[in-house]
């Protein structure tokens, strides 16, 4: 399945915030986490889902995104229930 396929599913109500040029990446799995550094649980190719419970400030966002990227995840999806919106950082 490609990221694009997930975005085309209206029931998921997903929207792209950044990375529209990467929608043809294949998704190899899904991993849900609220750990600040989930690298040890990722093997690459996943879409990572998070509720942002790890975030206390912009530095945490940098650490989390860096860890997910280093692990080889193909996408990051964030829920906005905890913070009301996905922070710009």
């Amino acid at each position: 399945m490609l990221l694009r396929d997930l975005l085309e599913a209206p029931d998921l109500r997903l929207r792209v915030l950044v990375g529209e040029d990467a929608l043809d990446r294949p998704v190899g799995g899904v991993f849900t986490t609220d750990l600040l550094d989930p690298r040890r649980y990722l093997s690459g190719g996943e879409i990572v889902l998070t509720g942002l419970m790890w975030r206390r400030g912009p530095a945490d966002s940098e650490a989390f995104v860096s860890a997910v990227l280093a692990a080889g995840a193909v996408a990051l999806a964030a829920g906005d229930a905890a913070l009301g919106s996905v922070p710009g950082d």
Side-chain angles (χ1 to χ4, degrees):
M1 172 174 277
L2 301 178
L3 288 172
R4 181 176 312 285
D5 299 329
L6 292 171
L7 285 164
E8 291 174 355
D11 291 346
L12 295 178
R13 299 182 323 191
L14 298 174
R15 61 188 170 100
V16 177
L17 299 179
V18 296
E20 288 190 31
D21 59 329
L23 297 180
D24 289 322
R25 291 180 179 178
V27 176
V30 177
F31 182 75
T32 303
T33 187
D34 278 312
L35 296 172
L36 183 58
D37 186 349
R39 280 181 286 190
R40 66 180 176 214
Y41 300 106
L42 300 171
S43 58
E46 300 93 348
I47 181 170
V48 175
L49 309 176
T50 184
L52 302 171
M53 299 305 292
W54 46 262
R55 188 183 188 281
R56 300 292 178 253
D60 289 341
S61 296
E62 176 67 31
F64 182 78
V65 172
S66 293
V68 168
L69 180 63
V74 297
L76 172 60
D80 59 10
L83 301 177
S85 66
V86 177
D89 56 66

